Amino acid sequence: MRLSPLLCLAPLAAAITLDTSSVSSIESATSGVAYDMMTFYTGNQTGQVPGLLPGSLNCNPNVLGTYCWWEAGAMWGALINYWQYTNDTTYNNVTIDALQFQRGPDNNYNPPNQSRSMGVDDQVFWAFSALDAVEANFPEAGGDNPSWLSLAQAVFNFQYDLWDPLTCGGGFRWQVFSFNAGYNLKNSISNGGNFQLAARLAYITGNSSYADWANKVWDWMEASPLLQTDANTGTFYIWDNTDSNDNCTSVQNFVWSYNYGTMLSGAAYMYNYTNGSDLWMNRVETILNSTYSLFFPQQYGGNIMYELECEKSLNCDEDQKSFKAYLARWMAVTSILVPNTAAGIKPKLAASAAGAAGQCDGGDNGRSCGLQWFTQTWDGTTGVGQQMAALSVMGSNLMTESMRPLTLRTGATSKSNPNAGSDAPSNPTANRKPITTADRAGAGILTILMVVIVVGGSAWLVY
Ligand SMILES: *[C@@H]1O[C@H](CO)[C@@H](O)[C@H](O)[C@H]1NC(C)=O
Ligand SMILES: *[C@@H]1O[C@H](CO)[C@@H](O)[C@H](O)[C@H]1NC(C)=O
Ligand SMILES: *[C@@H]1O[C@H](CO)[C@@H](O)[C@H](O)[C@H]1NC(C)=O
Ligand SMILES: *[C@@H]1O[C@H](CO)[C@@H](O)[C@H](O)[C@H]1NC(C)=O
Ligand SMILES: *[C@@H]1O[C@H](CO)[C@@H](O)[C@H](O)[C@H]1NC(C)=O
Ligand SMILES: *[C@@H]1O[C@H](CO)[C@@H](O)[C@H](O)[C@H]1NC(C)=O
Ligand SMILES: *[C@@H]1O[C@H](CO)[C@@H](O)[C@H](O)[C@H]1NC(C)=O
Ligand SMILES: *[C@@H]1O[C@H](CO)[C@@H](O)[C@H](O)[C@H]1NC(C)=O
Ligand SMILES: *[C@@H]1O[C@H](CO)[C@@H](O)[C@H](O)[C@H]1NC(C)=O
């Protein structure tokens, strides 16, 4: 049975079904899955905060139904992709409102409500969504609102100052502020996320400064214990984090699908930027081969995406339940940017989408999506992460060469501003000092005392 768009609005619609060889079937299925995902969103209701999911003001991903700020940021990107894949504009306005409302006073996705607990990875996911907008010519907000490209550039400028050469020979700490748990850690999603951000800015703008930076981040990660190749099996590991307290000699041996997706697509953008270099081709292939062996286990046929650390036992937290969304999207992007990967990627996206559809027959509405795509029996879970992952993997089957990420030389119209944000290279007097223990004492009231003085278009952060 096929789900018609009309049925999507009915309260007791039938389970989601999917024929991955049919564009209209994928459009219908994604329409239903996106609709159900958005039933979790209340930010556009009176008295609620635009852009946020329930719990985003003070999140704990271990509490069911609590979604952190970064995941909300990622969700808007999934909806931009959805629009690009299907031409359905239903969620465009709510997405534009969300991405602008959360941009913060310096137009760099560092809003005061989130600033205190913001990690480099959290912020970069909002930048990814802005970049999705650039690469698809998603409508700009217009008026005085900053362009999508400038928002991502401002995040780059903000994070540039956070590079920490004092321990481990470099790298980004997970947390921005030293009073947050995890400040000691240098993790793959923060470093890999910044790497991807730089690679995409290089691809979009052609500015070699971004490419130099992407190389620098990759080289540091490669020299650190975060990236390792098992000499026996050849498996390429992207481990979760390493610890600056021991100068990054230890490493946490967890692998997450989104780390592979982040590094994979970053490498794919660099492959393009370098005019198809062997170096980046090899890195793309290396990551992809181990993405297949780790996250598409033979046990389930070898083509169905699987979150290795937590899916089987259903103990993924709310963050982790969304990770497959990003790997799916970034594999689809890679299949376009590095064409000889397409033959390997496409069957995996198709089988995974079919598996995801098989999970979308649960919950009160009879079509909520679970996480265990390897079984057709609904796993009993529902949530934003499950919906987003299903939406992205189904939609990624609609990605064609015509949706190749745009650049400023191939039709992207978003306006570039390399000096965006308060701490851009052109604002030498802006706040660039390292965070010290003195800041730590005052940091608790940072958000309350934060004052932004805007002078001639440049903002100085004073606190
Ligand atoms: C909020 O957005 C959802 C999803 O787009 C939509 O269905 C709903 O009508 C919107 N609510 C308001 C109050 O605008
Ligand atoms: C979306 O619209 C564009 C431009 O009209 C068209 O080329 C494309 O085929 C449409 N895509 C889908 C999936 O309907
Ligand atoms: C989106 O907002 C624009 C400008 O406010 C408005 O013209 C348009 O009708 C809106 N579209 C939808 C689908 O709500
Ligand atoms: C910050 O939180 C306050 C209080 O909940 C809310 O009114 C405001 O809209 C929030 N701003 C952002 C950007 O989330
Ligand atoms: C810390 O690690 C970096 C990078 O490996 C190295 O260059 C540096 O010498 C180390 N510092 C100490 C104190 O061991
Ligand atoms: C890629 O090729 C173009 C055109 O030949 C050239 O201008 C550019 O410098 C090359 N880029 C790199 C990174 O080699
Ligand atoms: C890189 O991407 C651009 C823009 O999408 C495209 O025109 C170019 O052919 C690509 N180059 C390679 C080597 O794939
Ligand atoms: C990736 O796997 C393919 C197929 O097994 C193999 O031909 C290729 O050499 C591998 N590439 C790398 C870089 O490991
Ligand atoms: C290139 O990017 C760097 C880093 O953000 C910036 O300082 C520089 O102004 C940019 N150059 C151009 C020509 O836009």
Side-chain angles (χ1 to χ4, degrees):
M1 201 202 117
R2 283 249 323 266
L3 187 69
S4 79
L6 199 65
L7 272 175
C8 298
L9 301 172
L12 282 170
I16 300 288
T17 58
L18 182 69
D19 170 3
T20 55
S21 66
S22 154
V23 170
S24 63
S25 170
I26 302 174
E27 285 177 344
S28 299
T30 50
S31 156
V33 174
Y35 180 90
D36 293 341
M37 179 174 79
M38 288 302 281
T39 61
F40 290 88
Y41 180 62
T42 53
N44 60 343
Q45 294 172 6
T46 309
Q48 302 285 315
V49 183
L52 301 186
L53 284 165
S56 292
L57 274 176
N58 191 8
C59 82
N60 175 354
N62 289 308
V63 176
L64 217 59
T66 298
Y67 303 102
C68 295
W69 179 69
W70 79 271
E71 186 171 346
M75 185 180 82
W76 304 116
L79 288 168
I80 291 170
N81 303 151
Y82 168 72
W83 160 77
Q84 186 188 21
Y85 295 147
T86 64
N87 289 336
D88 179 355
T89 59
T90 304
Y91 306 106
N92 284 13
N93 282 356
V94 75
T95 299
I96 292 169
D97 291 348
L99 285 172
Q100 291 291 344
F101 195 85
Q102 291 296 322
R103 72 189 190 218
D106 295 333
N107 298 335
N108 62 0
Y109 291 119
N110 180 21
N113 288 345
Q114 304 293 339
S115 184
R116 269 192 69 200
S117 59
M118 187 178 73
V120 167
D121 48 0
D122 301 325
Q123 187 184 33
V124 88
F125 268 85
W126 285 84
F128 290 159
S129 295
L131 289 172
D132 285 345
V134 174
E135 293 170 352
N137 272 344
F138 183 68
E140 293 282 350
D144 293 338
N145 294 291
S147 71
W148 302 128
L149 180 51
S150 74
L151 286 163
Q153 288 169 312
V155 171
F156 177 87
N157 290 337
F158 180 88
Q159 296 195 346
Y160 182 91
D161 295 347
L162 300 177
W163 184 257
D164 169 39
L166 299 179
T167 59
C168 315
F172 288 100
R173 291 169 178 273
W174 175 20
Q175 296 298 319
V176 173
F177 294 109
S178 57
F179 52 83
N180 280 317
Y183 181 70
N184 55 310
L185 302 178
K186 296 194 174 180
N187 61 341
S188 280
I189 195 60
S190 294
N191 285 279
N194 180 275
F195 159 71
Q196 188 200 117
L197 170 62
R200 290 171 78 171
L201 288 173
Y203 169 84
I204 291 167
T205 66
N207 182 334
S208 60
S209 302
Y210 297 125
D212 293 346
W213 188 265
N215 274 308
K216 170 175 160 153
V217 181
W218 177 283
D219 290 347
W220 177 80
M221 289 182 78
E222 193 173 50
S224 84
L226 289 175
L227 305 188
Q228 287 180 25
T229 302
D230 184 305
N232 295 321
T233 61
T235 305
F236 181 71
Y237 287 108
I238 305 177
W239 298 124
D240 185 74
N241 70 77
T242 180
D243 193 339
S244 67
N245 285 345
D246 62 22
N247 198 36
C248 298
T249 49
S250 63
V251 73
Q252 288 296 316
N253 300 115
F254 296 109
V255 287
W256 300 107
S257 62
Y258 77 158
N259 281 326
Y260 283 73
T262 304
M263 302 293 290
L264 172 68
S265 59
Y269 284 101
M270 289 303 287
Y271 168 81
N272 178 282
Y273 179 82
T274 56
N275 293 329
S277 67
D278 290 344
L279 176 69
W280 287 102
M281 179 72 242
N282 189 267
R283 287 170 174 175
V284 165
E285 270 194 13
T286 299
I287 301 169
L288 201 52
N289 282 358
S290 292
T291 299
Y292 292 165
S293 59
L294 292 167
F295 302 105
F296 294 84
Q298 288 304 328
Q299 176 187 4
Y300 304 127
N303 280 335
I304 297 183
M305 197 187 293
Y306 169 75
E307 194 63 54
L308 181 63
E309 303 287 358
C310 61
E311 183 174 312
K312 184 76 177 289
S313 52
L314 285 177
N315 64 349
C316 302
D317 68 23
E318 293 294 43
D319 286 350
Q320 293 154 2
K321 286 171 190 161
S322 72
F323 288 175
K324 292 191 291 185
Y326 322 122
L327 178 57
R329 164 67 186 175
W330 291 329
M331 283 173 68
V333 169
T334 299
S335 74
I336 300 293
L337 291 176
V338 189
N340 70 357
T341 63
I345 288 174
K346 283 182 191 301
K348 292 191 161 46
L349 293 178
S352 299
Q359 274 295 304
C360 297
D361 57 1
D364 294 341
N365 63 3
R367 62 175 212 187
S368 293
C369 304
L371 194 65
Q372 292 180 324
W373 299 347
F374 60 83
T375 160
Q376 300 291 292
T377 310
W378 179 55
D379 65 18
T381 72
T382 59
V384 173
Q386 292 92 316
Q387 293 300 132
M388 195 191 330
L391 174 64
S392 292
V393 76
M394 290 175 187
S396 66
N397 283 271
L398 292 172
M399 179 107 184
T400 60
E401 173 61 31
S402 69
M403 299 174 204
R404 164 179 279 271
L406 296 170
T407 73
L408 294 180
R409 295 170 308 292
T410 59
T413 52
S414 197
K415 223 168 133 13
S416 173
N417 177 6
N419 298 321
S422 67
D423 46 5
S426 70
N427 291 335
T429 54
N431 173 38
R432 296 175 78 84
K433 68 186 163 66
I435 295 148
T436 65
T437 37
D439 294 325
R440 197 179 307 184
I445 49 171
L446 168 71
T447 55
I448 303 163
L449 294 181
M450 199 184 271
V451 177
V452 177
I453 305 166
V454 178
V455 183
S458 304
W460 277 266
L461 195 62
V462 179
Y463 58 88

